[in-house]
Amino acid sequence: MTQIITVTNQKGGVGKTTTVSALVCGLHQRGARVLGVDLDPQGNLGFTLGLDIGESATLYDVLTGARPIEASIVHTKYGDVLPSDIMLSTAEVEFTAPRREFMLSQQLDIVKDNYDFIIIDTPPALNILTINAYVASTGLIVPMEAEILSLVGISQIQDTIEAVRKSFNPDLKVLGILLNKYNQRLTLSRDVLDLAEEVARQLGSQVFPTKVRRSVDVAVAPAHGQSVLTYRPDAKCSMDLRKIVSAVAGDAFPPAPPRKRFIRF
């Protein structure tokens, strides 16, 4: 069964696209069939994975019926990507047909049997695009910075999750809250962790045991058209993100064994 996982937080700058690109790249490295879907009109996922969005069909073309989804998916060395652009920002006023909450789900149904995982990046807003992602998903990952305002954003998401469960997708699960830019030496980080664990309990979920440590490599990698996993595979944040990939992949897609080093005499 295909796992459709949405990475979501209505607050910007909390590491959603970094998490999505790491999951797409990391799962692909393990041999899984992966599709990354960019539901953010800023189009950052495609940019992060090296796509020239101006030369690609986008999710907007798919949702408006201008192009079939199969012909809009871009194949990259990091996994498949369905990119986005600024045209998707009109969704709230343009997509008004009945059952508009199911637009994305209906399109993903066409291709999901081709994939083991579909990972969705969402905009920093609780709008019709985000609702579409929740309706289509089997699980959510909620990244946040180790700061109080980021925690407030998660509390607001809780109402939206409950509404989607009640009306559209009763099986929707929260896989976990992911703490990004974490520094265990700071009192604030430790305090936010305690509060995040309480929010996770309210969501029937967990805080991922692995916290992603702050690193400049996360900001630099997209400029090179790469996930941080391939740009700086030995960075501490990359090691952290690979543990998150492991938590999502489970036993079905274990990491590749390390290469043997041969010593010449």
Side-chain angles (χ1 to χ4, degrees), residues 3-8 134 137-143 154 157-162 164-165 169-178 196 199-208 248:
Q3 292 191 52
I4 303 177
I5 299 172
T6 287
V7 179
T8 180
Y134 290 9
S137 295
T138 57
L140 306 177
I141 292 176
V142 185
I154 294 180
I157 285 173
Q158 186 174 359
D159 292 338
T160 304
I161 293 172
E162 290 303 324
V164 169
R165 283 172 173 166
N169 185 359
D171 298 324
L172 180 64
K173 297 178 181 178
V174 180
L175 302 179
I177 294 173
L178 173 61
V199 173
R201 281 192 289 271
Q202 295 173 13
L203 292 169
S205 186
Q206 63 168 339
V207 176
F208 283 106
V248 171

Side-chain angles (χ1 to χ4, degrees), residues 13-245:
V14 298
K16 291 190 295 294
T17 301
T18 297
T19 303
V20 171
S21 63
L23 286 171
V24 170
C25 181
L27 290 166
H28 178 74
Q29 288 176 335
R30 292 170 180 239
R33 302 169 299 164
V34 190
L35 171 65
V37 177
D38 195 349
L39 207 58
D40 186 348
Q42 297 177 84
N44 288 337
L45 179 62
F47 178 80
T48 297
L49 296 180
L51 299 187
D52 182 353
I53 303 303
E55 299 298 322
S56 306
T58 68
L59 181 57
Y60 177 81
D61 299 317
V62 173
L63 296 179
T64 57
R67 189 158 181 177
I69 187 170
E70 305 96 321
S72 303
I73 292 171
V74 181
H75 307 289
T76 81
K77 60 184 177 181
Y78 307 117
D80 288 357
V81 181
L82 181 55
S84 176
D85 66 7
I86 195 63
M87 290 300 297
L88 201 57
S89 63
T90 66
E92 198 70 41
V93 295
E94 187 169 352
F95 300 142
T96 58
R99 292 177 59 83
R100 65 178 186 155
E101 298 86 359
F102 292 87
M103 292 187 304
L104 180 63
S105 178
Q106 290 168 351
Q107 292 296 328
L108 294 182
D109 281 346
I110 297 171
V111 298
K112 69 179 184 181
D113 288 345
N114 298 331
Y115 298 100
D116 302 299
F117 296 93
I118 297 175
I119 313 295
I120 304 173
D121 195 8
T122 53
L126 293 177
N127 57 18
I128 190 59
L129 295 174
T130 305
I131 298 297
N132 264 263
Y134 290 9
V135 171
S137 295
T138 57
L140 306 177
I141 292 176
V142 185
M144 60 170 284
E145 286 187 80
E147 60 168 38
I148 297 300
L149 290 179
S150 190
L151 191 63
V152 171
I154 294 180
S155 298
Q156 294 168 341
I157 285 173
Q158 186 174 359
D159 292 338
T160 304
I161 293 172
E162 290 303 324
V164 169
R165 283 172 173 166
K166 182 177 180 180
S167 300
F168 306 115
N169 185 359
D171 298 324
L172 180 64
K173 297 178 181 178
V174 180
L175 302 179
I177 294 173
L178 173 61
L179 284 179
N180 280 321
K181 303 178 185 179
Y182 187 77
N183 186 341
Q184 65 179 356
R185 293 174 295 180
L186 297 179
T187 301
L188 176 61
S189 290
R190 297 194 298 270
D191 290 344
V192 170
L193 172 58
D194 291 340
L195 293 170
E197 288 175 339
E198 176 57 33
V199 173
R201 281 192 289 271
Q202 295 173 13
L203 292 169
S205 186
Q206 63 168 339
V207 176
F208 283 106
T210 299
K211 286 79 177 172
V212 180
R213 286 165 282 186
R214 185 181 295 271
S215 173
V216 68
D217 295 310
V218 169
V220 174
H224 296 266
Q226 297 184 53
S227 162
V228 71
L229 294 191
T230 56
Y231 175 68
R232 281 292 305 277
D234 296 328
K236 290 180 179 179
C237 61
S238 295
M239 292 187 280
D240 298 336
L241 285 164
R242 274 194 292 272
K243 291 180 181 178
I244 301 301
V245 172

